[in-house]
Amino acid sequence: MGIKVGIIGCGSIAKFRHAPEYQANPHVTELVFYDRNAARAKELALEFGGCYVETVDELINDPTITAISDCSSNEVHHIHTSNALLSGKHVLCEKPLAINVAFAEKMLEAERKSGKKLMIDHNQRFTKAHQKAKELLDQKELGEVLTFKTTFGHQGPEGWGVDKSNATWFFKKDRSYSGVAGDLGIHKIDLIHYLLDDEIDVVHAFHGALDKVDETGEKIEVCDNVVCALKTKRGRLGTASFSWTYYGAEDNSTTIYCEGGIIKIYQHPEAQLIIEKKDGTVIKYELEPIQTNENQTNTGVIDAFIDCIINDREPPVTGKQALACLKVIDQILGL
Ligand SMILES: NC(=O)c1ccc[n+]([C@@H]2O[C@H](COP(=O)([O-])OP(=O)(O)OC[C@H]3O[C@@H](n4cnc5c(N)ncnc54)[C@H](O)[C@@H]3O)[C@@H](O)[C@H]2O)c1
């Protein structure tokens, strides 16, 4: 079955991940682009093949479109994604799911009412090193997980988004909602939930706008750094830090400390996953470097989304799981 896909929001994530990955998927036959800035939709239609429309309704009301990627900025996910679901489309929505829990719950209600699939782009789960870690943890190769440490940081979104300036929406409270917490932190919260088959329950956190300034030179309205201590429902303890001010190479590392040894992820340039066993044995896995803003390879997310449509499977990242992550972000921010 050929699938016609609509993309809402034609900025960086659409250009570097969604559009090329749909283009490469053998089941996707046609792409339709929409952005409220029509020039961006036109540009992607030219670059990836397909057409563009000038209103969101043209996309949502097109009966030949089966699936939609919502790649718009955070403050409108709940509108576009809910409308698309209720118009009978399957939706892959970018993270964070929404700018507040109430909006996110409405999206889940739209999913239930429509009977369509809602998947969220928590793409960290799909990387080869994280998949390998999941396999090792599920098989209890190193026994039970005791503690963990995770971080995600880079130089900030003002060099990534389509508007490359300090006026970026990522720095605005009403549009981003949660700064680096919802931008990078939510990826690692989801990853910990997934890897540990557990959920973060108690949070102690500090957050602040330490360094980033907006277009007027004022400190930004959202946090650029988070440091937190976490306790899961099953009693595991961990620490996490999320940053837009790591002014060197991106840090995407995680360490899982288990009864029988340690799993180190993305800490060595060649060996993306290293196991250090209690008896001194070290096993190095050379898998694949993680996608970074500079290194864009197939995330596997689009293929997984198309697969769950074709084979009528539950999406590998559900709205319910994304909502649980959003609630942790609220706790981190003390909301
Ligand atoms: N999964 C990931 O790893 C990842 C990485 C980066 C961004 N994201 C998420 O993807 C989304 C988009 O981020 P981006 O980096 O592409 O930002 P961006 O600023 O580069 O692009 C956003 C685009 O959305 C368009 N847009 C905004 N409001 C709209 C509306 N109401 N109707 C139509 N178009 C609208 C803008 O015109 C812009 O072209 C965000 O939610 C972000 O958090 C996810």
Side-chain angles (χ1 to χ4, degrees), residues 88-156:
K89 318 295 185 201
H90 302 294
V91 180
L92 171 61
C93 178
E94 266 306 336
K95 43 54 59 175
L97 182 56
I99 55 167
N100 62 51
V101 167
F103 286 167
E105 281 168 345
K106 289 223 162 93
M107 295 163 83
L108 266 62
E109 203 180 300
E111 180 194 16
R112 271 191 301 276
K113 264 193 202 157
S114 67
K116 295 292 161 186
K117 296 181 196 303
L118 171 63
M119 177 169 160
I120 316 307
D121 191 5
H122 286 160
N123 52 291
Q124 291 252 331
R125 294 184 186 200
F126 297 85
T127 76
K128 292 208 166 56
H130 291 148
Q131 283 292 315
K132 185 71 195 172
K134 177 71 176 158
E135 185 190 312
L136 295 166
L137 290 166
D138 282 354
Q139 291 167 351
K140 304 218 182 303
E141 287 277 328
L142 299 172
E144 292 295 335
V145 173
L146 302 173
T147 64
F148 61 89
K149 183 169 83 182
T150 189
T151 193
F152 192 179
H154 58 45
Q155 302 208 6

Side-chain angles (χ1 to χ4, degrees), residues 8-13 17 34-37 40 71-74 76-77 80 94-96 121 123 160-162 169-170 175 183 187:
I8 301 177
C10 299
S12 293
I13 199 70
R17 299 214 190 126
Y34 165 71
D35 194 292
R36 65 178 175 187
N37 178 332
R40 289 179 190 158
C71 299
S72 52
S73 43
N74 302 350
V76 280
H77 289 174
H80 290 144
E94 266 306 336
K95 43 54 59 175
D121 191 5
N123 52 291
W160 152 266
V162 66
W169 66 266
F170 281 97
R175 300 193 62 195
D183 185 40
H187 277 298

